């Protein structure tokens, strides 16, 4: 069983799976357009919730929400199914393949055998496409990989039923209804408004308010938790920003590309200007990650390292608040 699926590499797994699945169904949509319409840019900080023994920090909304929101705004119906039984999960996947339906899966990263060892950690919100099967081997299109790859039946079952936070439970999803005509302008505007509202929300744990909350926390970590724990927290923050689901700077670059495309569709030159501005903000996020990594690797030559990082993050919060206010006004 093998579908006529075309693999395209992307920067982020959920965007890439969504874009590739929709392209398979005749909708020529880029990764940035999926990300922007699906309101993928986000920030969340909840210190009472721990992930890998560090405060929960996320640069994206819940897994699945980007594709779900993008599909809804484009008028596309997506079917999602979870399973308690691995045999039932495999049968459903094979049934789809026999009908020439490539299927998106949510999986755990730790046991993905084709990932380099340094990228295999306990994270259960990775996405990939299964587009075929030969004997006991499934054909895999993982959008963060340059080329297609494979997993055996046992290997795929292991990652589909990984345990822990955000356990995928064999989740399978695929488009089932595609509209004849798509209102791209309305979908883009809804996506932008949602992102602006999230990033400017008056709640202390999300958006720019969450970034300011985290800035205050960074100043306190070495005093309250000790340098060793503070450095672990910084390392986890950088991992969430630059390795798990792209995050920080990477997401800003994708969003800048989305605004470039949106500027053409909406005939709005202001969006093109804001795209350039967001790219610059993305560069500053990358600088922040580099400086933070120097601290936890004990390679920084700064004297007041934690306050310096907190100041950087506070500056990013100010820049993003100004940016999203201008973006909201622009549409």
């Amino acid at each position: 069983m093998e579908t006529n699926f075309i693999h395209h590499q992307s920067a982020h797994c959920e965007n890439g799976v969504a874009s590739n699945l929709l392209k398979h169904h005749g909708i020529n949509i880029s990764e940035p357009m999926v990300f922007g319409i699906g309101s993928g840019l986000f920030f969340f900080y909840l210190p009472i919730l721990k992930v890998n023994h560090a405060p929960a920090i996320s640069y994206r909304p819940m897994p699945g929400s980007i594709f779900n929101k993008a599909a809804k705004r484009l008028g596309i119906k997506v079917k999602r199914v979870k399973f308690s039984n691995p045999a039932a999960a495999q049968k459903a996947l094979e049934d789809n393949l026999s009908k020439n339906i490539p299927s998106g899966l949510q999986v755990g990263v730790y046991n993905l055998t084709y990932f380099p060892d340094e990228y295999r950690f306990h994270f259960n919100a990775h996405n990939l496409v299964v587009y075929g099967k030969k004997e006991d081997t499934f054909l895999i299109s993982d959008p963060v990989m340059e080329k297609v790859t494979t997993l055996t039946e046992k290997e795929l079952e292991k990652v589909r039923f990984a345990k822990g936070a955000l356990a995928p439970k064999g989740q399978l999803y695929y488009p089932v209804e595609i509209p004849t005509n798509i209102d791209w302008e309305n979908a883009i505007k809804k996506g932008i408004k949602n992102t602006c509202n999230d990033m400017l929300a008056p709640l202390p744990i999300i958006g720019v308010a969450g970034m300011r909350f985290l800035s205050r926390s960074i100043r306190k970590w070495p005093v309250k938790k000790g340098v060793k724990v503070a450095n672990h927290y910084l390392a986890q923050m950088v991992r969430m920003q630059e390795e798990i689901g792209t995050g920080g700077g990477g997401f800003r670059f994708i969003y800048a590309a989305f605004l470039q495309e949106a500027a053409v569709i909406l005939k709005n030159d202001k969006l093109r200007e804001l795209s350039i501005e967001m790219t610059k903000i993305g560069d500053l996020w990358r600088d922040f990650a580099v400086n933070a990594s120097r601290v936890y690797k004990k390679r920084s030559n700064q004297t007041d390292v934690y306050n310096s990082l907190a100041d950087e993050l506070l500056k990013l919060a100010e820049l993003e608040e100004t940016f999203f206010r201008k973006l909201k006004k622009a549409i």
Side-chain angles (χ1 to χ4, degrees):
M1 295 180 288
E2 184 172 357
T3 62
N4 56 341
F5 186 80
I6 299 175
H7 172 83
H8 300 272
Q9 190 176 21
S10 66
H12 177 252
C13 66
E14 187 175 342
N15 304 328
V17 165
S19 174
N20 285 344
L21 285 177
L22 295 180
K23 283 177 179 176
H24 180 78
H25 287 273
I27 299 176
N28 187 22
I29 184 169
S30 68
E31 176 189 7
M33 190 58 66
V34 168
F35 183 70
I37 292 175
S39 302
L41 198 67
F42 193 67
F43 187 85
F44 170 84
Y45 172 57
L46 186 60
I48 61 172
L49 178 65
K50 295 294 189 288
V51 177
N52 290 332
H53 309 289
I57 301 169
S58 178
Y59 299 81
R60 53 152 300 156
M62 286 294 290
S65 69
I66 296 174
F67 194 8
N68 285 346
K69 285 183 176 181
K72 184 178 180 180
R73 290 164 184 166
L74 293 168
I76 298 163
K77 186 175 180 181
V78 176
K79 184 174 183 178
R80 287 184 180 268
V81 189
K82 292 185 179 180
F83 303 87
S84 57
N85 184 298
Q90 180 168 320
K91 183 180 184 304
L93 176 57
E94 291 186 352
D95 286 347
N96 272 8
L97 296 177
S98 69
K99 298 171 186 174
N100 196 35
I101 302 174
S103 301
L105 302 182
Q106 182 182 327
V107 300
V109 167
Y110 188 75
N111 289 300
L112 281 178
T113 51
Y114 56 81
F115 263 29
D117 288 343
E118 58 268 26
Y119 287 105
R120 292 172 61 182
F121 45 85
H122 293 286
F123 177 67
N124 290 331
H126 188 62
N127 292 266
L128 52 81
V129 174
V130 177
Y131 68 93
K133 186 182 183 185
K134 293 182 178 179
E135 297 178 353
D136 70 339
T137 301
F138 284 100
L139 309 181
I140 308 296
S141 167
D142 188 321
V144 303
M145 305 299 288
E146 184 178 358
K147 298 179 180 179
V148 294
T149 184
T150 60
L151 289 170
T152 65
E153 288 180 359
K154 289 185 178 179
E155 288 169 342
L156 186 60
E157 179 181 312
K158 200 167 188 178
V159 296
R160 290 184 76 184
F161 287 89
K163 305 296 183 183
L166 301 174
K169 298 179 181 178
Q171 183 172 170
L172 175 151
Y173 58 93
Y174 53 98
V176 290
E177 290 182 17
I178 307 291
T180 305
N181 298 305
I182 291 176
D183 186 347
W184 291 98
E185 291 189 13
N186 187 49
I188 289 169
K189 288 178 180 179
K190 283 184 176 179
I192 291 175
K193 287 177 182 177
N194 187 172
T195 300
C196 291
N197 289 339
D198 284 344
M199 293 302 292
L200 298 172
L203 298 173
I205 62 171
I206 67 173
V208 295
M211 292 163 61
R212 291 189 174 107
F213 183 15
L214 178 55
S215 173
R216 294 193 297 271
S217 296
I218 290 173
R219 299 182 197 280
K220 299 173 184 176
W221 284 347
V223 177
K224 285 191 169 184
K225 303 294 182 179
V227 171
K228 184 178 180 180
V229 173
N231 285 349
H232 171 69
Y233 286 3
L234 284 178
Q236 177 65 7
M237 181 181 177
V238 172
R239 171 179 272 188
M240 295 299 292
Q241 178 181 326
E242 299 298 333
E243 294 178 15
I244 299 177
T246 308
F251 271 2
R252 271 69 188 169
F253 300 139
I254 297 172
Y255 202 75
F258 159 68
L259 291 177
Q260 279 189 322
E261 288 190 51
V264 175
I265 295 170
L266 298 182
K267 299 179 178 61
N268 187 333
D269 288 337
K270 184 64 178 177
L271 297 184
R272 191 173 286 106
E273 294 174 19
L274 289 169
S275 170
I276 297 169
E277 189 173 328
M278 178 51 81
T279 300
K280 293 177 181 177
I281 291 173
D283 289 336
L284 294 175
W285 272 107
R286 284 281 156 86
D287 291 344
F288 174 84
V290 170
N291 292 334
S293 66
R294 285 176 179 150
V295 172
Y296 65 74
K297 291 180 180 179
K298 300 179 181 178
R299 296 175 184 171
S300 176
N301 57 8
Q302 292 179 305
T303 53
D304 195 5
V305 288
Y306 299 99
N307 279 326
S308 178
L309 286 175
D311 289 343
E312 278 190 68
L313 187 56
L314 198 59
K315 178 63 176 176
L316 283 165
E318 292 170 0
L319 290 172
E320 296 214 343
E321 181 176 10
T322 301
F323 172 87
F324 285 108
R325 291 196 185 284
K326 287 192 287 188
L327 179 58
K328 194 171 184 178
K329 186 177 180 181
I331 58 154

